[in-house]
Amino acid sequence: MVERRFSKLFQKGSLFRLAQKYQPVGNGEPAGETDEERELTAIEQEKEVTALPPKDACKCHKEDLAKSLHVDLQTGLSEFSVLQRRITHGWNEFIVDNTEPIWKKYLDQFKNPLILLLLASALVSVITKEYEDAVSIAMAVLIVVTVAFIQEYRSEKSLEELNKLVPPECNCIREGKLQHLLARELVPGDIVCLSIGDRVPADIRLIEVTDLLVDESSFTGEAEPCSKTDDPLLEAGDLTTLSNVVFMGTLVRYGKGKGIVIGTGENSQFGEVFKLMQAEETPKTPLQKSMDKLGKQLTLFSFCIIGLIMLIGWLQGKHLLSMFTIGVSLAVAAIPEGLPIVVTVTLVLGVLRMAKKRVIVKKLPIVETLGCCNVICSDKTGTLTANEMTVTQLVTSDGFQAEVSGVGYSGKGSVCLLPSKEVINEFSNVSVGKLVEAGCVANNAIIRKNTVMGQPTEGALIALAMKMELSDIKDIYIRKKEIPFSSEQKWMAVKCTLKNQGQEDIYFMKGAFEEVIQYCTMYNNGGIPLPLMPQQNASYLQEERRMGSLGLRVLALASGPELGRLTFLGLVGIIDPPRAGVKEAVQLLFESGVSVKMITGDALETAMAIGRSIGLSNGKLKAMSGEELDHVAESELSSAVKNVSVFFRTSPKHKLKIIKALQGAGAIVGMTGDGVNDAVALKSADIGVAMGQAGTDVSKEAANMILVDDDFSAIMSAIEEGKGIFYNIKNFVRFQLSTSISALSLITLSTVFNLPNPLNAMQILWINIIMDGPPAQSLGVEPVDKDAIKQPPRNITDTILSRALILKIFMSAIIIISGTLFVFWKEIPESGTTPRTTTMTFTCFVFFDLFNALTCRSQTKLIFEIGFFRNRMFLYSVLGSLLGQMAVIYIPPLQKIFLTENLGALDLLFLTGLSSSVFIVSELIKLCEKHCCRTKKVKNRHDV
């Protein structure tokens, strides 16, 4: 449509003047060419302009690049060229394909086998004129489907959020003028000017730079800003090595630059992430798979009941249609329509509990998925670390060593001498004080509200001075001159003089050790300069290598009257350290059977240092680079990544590859991250976890879960919650199926053997209310067992209806049926059923039900271990059911409805004693299982 509109405009000749104005670089105007021919030639040339991949653009000289993109480096593009290129390349933005309408997404919720089974049972209820059942089932289905739809619809914005990272405005040269434009208007070939604080609006090949430093941490994972150049590169390595290209969405930290746009929208590197995200489908959660399987098992169970009833009826010579109707009615009654509601309520309560712990869960089933998670892949920068450069070690020129506590730019922390652990301030130790002073004066960074303005490395030195109470020391100096840092010289220096004193000038220098030491002739010894000897030089080099091997970025500092005669002051080690609580969280995860893998774009030394400091794989680290990953065969990938705990120099594609390989090996993978480079991995993982404060908008929207306070250890609470939720669902299923099987068996036996019915219609309805009502629902809100975290991750192949659970269901059902039939047989006179017979049988069944619910609160722990009063909702619902049962027995109007009569105190005591048998037997079985497990553990220990 846009193309048609522009083509009509050209046909009318309204852009003819622009076409005349346009002059391609290096082309003269051929003689005898008409205006129309010139216009067509210009249009054809514009159509030939294509976006350039960064790896090609980085090797081009700027003149060759300008020629291939048909642009004048001084005047930029003409309006005619911009309009033509926009027709070809579109706007510099991302278009989310929302072809699937909302109503279709809503209907997709009905594809769940359990929901389909419930809808079928509602239809059968309508056919058999059981309209109340049909309405109640339909309402249950609608509630469940709507809640699930609302939760999932809100989380489907991940691709739209990419637009938020594209800056709204930029500075661009067009037709010889510097213009302030919307970033979406850029096209390949535009000349863009960048300055400090700008977010890069497109992929740009730099043609002019002045001390340009770009923060690419959200894109590559590198914590340190990258120094940029405008020289062509001889070889193009991975994206992190392209020093003359800046990428869309990254941030200019320092300096300024100018460059040519080589990629916009989906043709940028950002666009590659966008396309990968579009291609990724969010995997089904283990709970969804378990529920699907349960739905199929219950369907099979229903058909077995119908078949059995019809077979018995046929053998007895009864009418097949009437037997089929009875069979279908029983099958419908056997399906626990309360299950989807309990699952949804349990998950919602889990989500609310997580919200109190400052964790936002966007998709309901994700809460439970954490209970199965056995691998957590974590980004380093901004996730395991705070993305705040911090000085952690000092070594002075006269041999003092100190460690620095406190992370980030808040100034909280202290400097302690080693090994005495003496806390030092200001110049209480002259050597340390002079070292810190030099780092503070030779510095351009400012810290405001715990945020650094300038280079993070310089921010770390200011934060160190704040911890030493020396942050104001630079105010006593007047700066006369600055020699800025460059990637060639690898140092920066300032020339200062003391205020109000006519003393000689003093230089302060910081930079790489091997460069700074060349300008030094002396070393500081307790405030006294002494000649620098080769042995001192060798010991400093040894210290620098030791600190470098720990993953620290090492800076040397010096001061003196002139650049050739400086006094060496010492070394500082800087790193982006682990967040508080990460080490403990990793250890707990390891103990509970969850392996943690670190995936970073950073270098090997830094990655290994962080890995060791947080205790990855109990210190037994194995590393693999992104490049090595590319050379591993697909068939060997799963086994290769399984044993690796640190992946370094990785791209978004590598992260995706690692997650897919782990999932291929059967792992349930959680991914934590904060940057654009993590977005694809967050979406493809079984659980994507983003950081709430440090995370980019893209990572937050791609994730299923957000840690509001960036607290990695909050994952522990989430895993605990996930395990507890699955156990609660199993408890509910056990109670409901054992109760429904008992009720159905009573009716089936009486129907098949032509016996009088032990329960009437109203009594069955009352039992159904207990079966699906408050006592059943309250099992879903049982508080999470504190020992759940110690349990290994749940195997995804484990179904809700496991063999052990089925055996427990049938055991409870047999006890309930036997006890109820015994009471029915004991109370029935020869003349037939009386109100007393049905009242005793009915009350016996209800008491069995409530005792069964009590033992179903836990599959493994005795009632004394979990406590009677821990689940108050359960207590209230059981008490309510008991009062309701007493009302049905003793209140005359209800006696008429339910056909009951008064029972004596001894009757109630007898029924309580008998019905408690289901509780007692279940508790004894738990006790036996505990004893067997303990014996097995002891035996295994002796064998070892």
Side-chain angles (χ1 to χ4, degrees):
M1 187 174 168
V2 175
E3 199 167 335
R4 208 182 306 130
R5 192 159 66 238
F6 278 121
S7 60
K8 282 181 181 176
L9 207 57
F10 291 134
Q11 284 167 12
K12 289 175 184 174
S14 60
L15 289 173
F16 174 64
R17 187 172 67 259
L18 290 170
Q20 281 185 310
K21 221 168 140 184
Y22 170 75
Q23 290 289 330
V25 175
N27 281 357
E29 193 176 311
E33 201 173 42
T34 66
D35 290 337
E36 282 186 14
E37 285 171 340
R38 277 201 302 276
E39 184 181 344
L40 287 169
T41 305
I43 291 169
E44 285 303 314
Q45 282 183 332
E46 292 300 337
K47 283 182 179 175
E48 288 170 12
V49 174
T50 57
L52 284 175
K55 289 186 179 182
D56 293 342
C58 71
K59 292 187 275 190
C60 296
H61 286 273
K62 57 186 178 183
E63 292 80 12
D64 297 334
L65 195 65
K67 196 171 180 181
S68 66
L69 290 168
H70 298 303
V71 63
D72 188 307
L73 295 177
Q74 302 307 313
T75 59
L77 295 174
S78 67
E79 289 301 327
F80 171 80
S81 302
V82 170
L83 290 171
Q84 280 293 330
R85 292 179 194 203
R86 191 162 296 130
I87 294 168
T88 309
H89 300 281
W91 296 95
N92 180 29
E93 62 187 6
F94 304 106
I95 299 160
V96 182
D97 185 18
N98 276 334
T99 50
E100 197 174 69
I102 290 175
W103 61 267
K104 192 173 183 298
K105 286 181 181 177
Y106 186 76
L107 289 179
D108 283 346
Q109 300 292 327
F110 289 90
K111 289 180 180 176
N112 183 328
L114 196 58
I115 296 291
L116 291 172
L117 185 60
L118 287 172
L119 287 173
S121 68
L123 184 66
V124 170
S125 298
V126 170
I127 294 165
T128 55
K129 297 182 181 178
E130 298 287 340
Y131 299 116
E132 293 88 350
D133 282 356
V135 170
S136 65
I137 292 168
M139 286 301 294
V141 168
L142 278 173
I143 290 166
V144 170
V145 163
T146 305
V147 169
F149 168 73
I150 290 167
Q151 281 290 332
E152 290 185 18
Y153 182 68
R154 282 173 60 199
S155 70
E156 282 300 312
K157 295 177 186 173
S158 49
L159 298 174
E160 293 169 24
E161 284 298 318
L162 276 155
N163 286 318
K164 287 187 184 176
L165 265 182
V166 179
E169 295 172 341
C170 63
N171 295 311
C172 176
I173 297 171
R174 284 185 184 169
E175 299 196 322
K177 297 173 190 170
L178 184 64
Q179 300 180 24
H180 201 62
L181 303 171
L182 288 173
R184 71 189 293 268
E185 295 178 28
L186 290 178
V187 294
D190 261 324
I191 307 294
V192 173
C193 298
L194 300 168
S195 57
I196 189 166
D198 287 352
R199 219 172 251 290
V200 179
D203 285 1
I204 295 170
R205 162 67 163 89
L206 297 165
I207 55 172
E208 285 178 27
V209 296
T210 309
D211 303 331
L212 186 65
L213 289 175
V214 179
D215 181 352
E216 296 183 341
S217 60
S218 72
F219 192 73
T220 62
E222 284 275 12
E224 190 68 23
C226 304
S227 178
K228 294 294 179 180
T229 177
D230 54 10
D231 298 325
L233 303 179
L234 295 173
E235 284 296 322
D238 61 27
L239 295 177
T240 57
T241 64
L242 306 185
S243 58
N244 58 8
V245 177
V246 288
F247 300 103
M248 181 193 283
T250 55
L251 185 68
V252 178
R253 284 280 188 194
Y254 192 76
K256 56 185 180 178
K258 189 162 84 169
I260 306 174
V261 173
I262 56 170
T264 59
E266 290 188 26
N267 292 319
S268 64
Q269 285 304 305
F270 220 123
E272 290 297 315
V273 176
F274 171 79
K275 282 184 268 193
L276 281 170
M277 276 184 73
Q278 267 193 322
E280 275 310 305
E281 284 289 323
T282 307
K284 257 192 174 186
T285 69
L287 181 63
Q288 287 169 327
K289 290 174 185 172
S290 293
M291 295 303 288
D292 289 352
K293 197 163 186 180
L294 180 62
K296 287 167 188 170
Q297 285 173 324
L298 290 174
T299 308
L300 185 66
F301 174 66
S302 302
F303 281 121
C304 288
I305 288 175
I306 296 166
L308 184 66
I309 298 284
M310 287 183 71
L311 179 65
I312 292 167
W314 177 69
L315 291 172
Q316 290 182 337
K318 290 184 179 178
H319 196 262
L320 276 181
L321 188 61
S322 65
M323 293 309 290
F324 175 74
T325 308
I326 292 167
V328 168
S329 302
L330 292 174
V332 168
I335 297 162
E337 61 263 32
L339 180 58
I341 292 178
V342 164
V343 170
T344 305
V345 168
T346 306
L347 293 173
V348 167
L349 288 169
V351 168
L352 294 174
R353 281 196 294 265
M354 290 312 302
K356 285 179 186 172
K357 293 174 183 175
R358 310 282 287 158
V359 177
I360 295 168
V361 179
K362 288 158 63 181
K363 288 193 175 184
L364 289 182
I366 287 299
V367 188
E368 188 278 332
T369 308
L370 280 155
C372 318
C373 180
N374 48 20
V375 179
I376 289 180
C377 295
S378 181
D379 172 52
K380 179 185 78 69
T381 310
T383 306
L384 295 174
T385 67
N387 198 11
E388 293 177 328
M389 299 301 281
T390 307
V391 176
T392 56
Q393 287 188 27
L394 307 175
V395 177
T396 65
S397 53
D398 51 352
F400 285 105
Q401 293 199 3
E403 66 176 10
V404 186
S405 63
V407 176
Y409 308 119
S410 65
K412 290 178 182 173
S414 59
V415 180
C416 301
L417 280 177
L418 295 175
S420 65
K421 295 282 183 181
E422 178 195 343
V423 177
I424 49 176
N425 285 310
E426 297 182 334
F427 287 94
S428 59
N429 181 293
V430 176
S431 300
V432 175
K434 279 188 163 291
L435 180 66
V436 174
E437 177 191 35
C440 187
V441 178
N443 203 310
N444 292 316
I446 300 167
I447 291 177
R448 279 191 197 143
K449 295 178 181 176
N450 300 342
T451 305
V452 68
M453 298 172 74
Q455 295 184 44
T457 305
E458 292 194 332
L461 293 171
I462 297 285
L464 171 66
M466 289 162 72
K467 291 168 189 175
M468 287 274 290
E469 297 175 16
L470 287 171
S471 57
D472 297 330
I473 200 159
K474 68 193 304 185
D475 297 337
I476 69 169
Y477 292 97
I478 298 168
R479 186 181 290 193
K480 288 184 169 182
K481 181 186 174 187
E482 178 185 339
I483 303 167
F485 177 89
S486 75
S487 52
E488 288 79 30
Q489 68 186 29
K490 294 182 180 175
W491 58 265
M492 74 86 73
V494 291
K495 179 183 177 183
C496 302
T497 187
L498 281 164
K499 280 182 183 176
N500 308 321
Q501 290 184 34
Q503 289 186 349
E504 64 176 17
D505 296 334
I506 181 167
Y507 281 88
F508 293 96
M509 179 189 276
K510 73 171 191 298
F513 168 74
E514 64 273 14
E515 299 297 328
V516 171
I517 201 73
Q518 291 178 25
Y519 293 87
C520 299
T521 55
M522 315 286 277
Y523 77 95
N524 175 54
N525 187 1
I528 302 165
L530 295 176
L532 187 63
M533 307 300 282
Q535 57 263 38
Q536 269 98 19
N537 209 331
S539 71
Y540 301 149
L541 181 63
Q542 193 176 346
E543 275 301 326
E544 193 258 350
R545 285 177 178 166
R546 179 189 68 80
M547 290 165 83
S549 69
L550 297 173
L552 299 172
R553 184 180 180 202
V554 184
L555 284 182
L557 293 132
S559 65
E562 56 184 76
L563 287 181
R565 295 186 359 208
L566 298 180
T567 300
F568 184 72
L569 299 173
L571 303 166
V572 295
I574 302 173
I575 198 169
D576 178 16
R579 289 180 184 276
V582 165
K583 185 174 182 178
E584 293 77 9
V586 168
Q587 186 60 35
L588 255 173
L589 286 166
F590 182 78
E591 286 169 8
S592 62
V594 181
S595 89
V596 180
K597 298 180 187 296
M598 182 167 74
I599 310 177
T600 179
D602 233 329
L604 173 64
E605 293 78 14
T606 311
M608 292 294 273
I610 296 295
R612 275 191 292 269
S613 65
I614 63 174
L616 277 187
S617 298
N618 264 5
K620 299 166 188 171
L621 297 181
K622 187 180 176 185
M624 182 184 275
S625 70
E627 198 176 337
E628 288 171 325
L629 200 67
D630 287 331
H631 294 115
V632 178
E634 286 291 325
S635 55
E636 297 168 17
L637 199 58
S638 292
S639 56
V641 300
K642 207 172 179 182
N643 302 315
V644 177
S645 44
V646 175
F647 295 91
F648 63 99
R649 290 289 184 221
T650 56
S651 68
K653 284 182 181 175
H654 291 136
K655 292 184 180 188
L656 182 62
K657 203 172 185 181
I658 292 161
I659 284 168
K660 295 281 187 193
L662 288 166
Q663 286 172 332
I668 296 296
V669 184
M671 171 75 199
T672 65
D674 68 320
V676 177
N677 57 333
D678 303 315
V680 184
L682 286 169
K683 191 168 183 187
S684 64
D686 296 285
I687 314 120
V689 183
M691 299 290 134
Q693 292 176 0
T696 57
D697 289 332
V698 186
S699 65
K700 286 182 215 172
E701 286 299 322
N704 314 108
M705 199 168 98
I706 298 161
L707 306 179
V708 177
D709 296 328
D710 294 3
D711 183 5
F712 184 82
S713 56
I715 290 174
M716 300 307 304
S717 304
I719 288 175
E720 193 176 72
E721 199 68 52
K723 288 178 178 176
I725 282 168
F726 187 76
Y727 296 145
N728 284 354
I729 291 167
K730 282 186 87 165
N731 295 342
F732 170 83
V733 168
R734 178 186 169 181
F735 169 71
Q736 202 171 46
L737 287 182
S738 57
T739 306
S740 61
I741 287 169
S742 305
L744 290 171
S745 300
L746 284 173
I747 298 160
T748 306
L749 288 168
S750 60
T751 306
V752 169
F753 297 109
N754 287 325
L755 297 171
N757 226 327
L759 303 168
N760 63 45
M762 287 307 294
Q763 290 167 353
I764 291 169
L765 183 64
W766 178 251
I767 289 166
N768 241 331
I769 289 167
I770 292 174
M771 194 170 76
D772 289 328
Q777 304 286 327
S778 63
L779 289 171
V781 297
E782 187 73 33
V784 174
D785 183 3
K786 292 295 169 193
D787 291 338
I789 193 67
K790 296 173 186 173
Q791 300 297 320
R794 177 172 72 83
N795 193 326
I796 50 164
T797 56
D798 291 349
T799 58
I800 292 172
L801 274 179
S802 60
R803 186 182 296 173
L805 191 67
I806 290 168
L807 287 172
K808 284 176 181 176
I809 287 167
F810 279 117
M811 180 209 70
S812 298
I814 289 164
I815 294 168
I816 294 168
I817 294 162
S818 305
T820 309
L821 284 175
F822 170 73
V823 170
F824 182 65
W825 169 78
K826 178 177 169 290
E827 295 295 331
I828 192 168
E830 288 183 11
S831 56
T833 56
T834 63
R836 177 178 167 78
T837 309
T838 54
T839 305
M840 284 289 284
T841 310
F842 170 44
T843 307
C844 178
F845 194 93
V846 169
F847 280 15
F848 263 124
D849 232 12
L850 298 176
F851 274 112
N852 189 30
L854 186 63
T855 195
C856 285
R857 281 180 61 194
S858 173
Q859 300 295 320
T860 53
K861 289 200 167 184
L862 300 171
I863 192 67
F864 306 108
E865 290 177 294
I866 56 174
F868 274 100
F869 306 106
R870 204 167 67 137
N871 186 349
R872 288 191 179 181
M873 188 180 163
F874 178 80
L875 280 179
Y876 296 147
S877 59
V878 167
L879 189 63
S881 299
L882 278 171
L883 290 172
Q885 185 65 22
M886 293 304 106
V888 164
I889 297 170
Y890 295 109
I891 295 173
L894 291 175
Q895 285 179 336
K896 287 178 184 176
I897 296 167
F898 285 91
L899 303 177
T900 56
E901 65 175 40
N902 294 352
L903 295 178
L906 287 173
D907 291 331
L908 290 176
L909 276 172
F910 165 70
L911 291 175
T912 304
L914 179 66
S915 56
S916 65
S917 59
V918 71
F919 169 76
I920 293 162
V921 172
S922 287
E923 294 295 291
L924 287 171
I925 288 170
K926 287 180 197 174
L927 205 61
C928 292
E929 284 175 348
K930 278 193 145 201
H931 179 70
C932 291
C933 285
R934 212 175 290 128
T935 310
K936 197 181 279 184
K937 277 182 186 174
V938 170
K939 193 182 175 186
N940 287 343
R941 212 174 290 139
H942 284 310
D943 290 344
V944 170

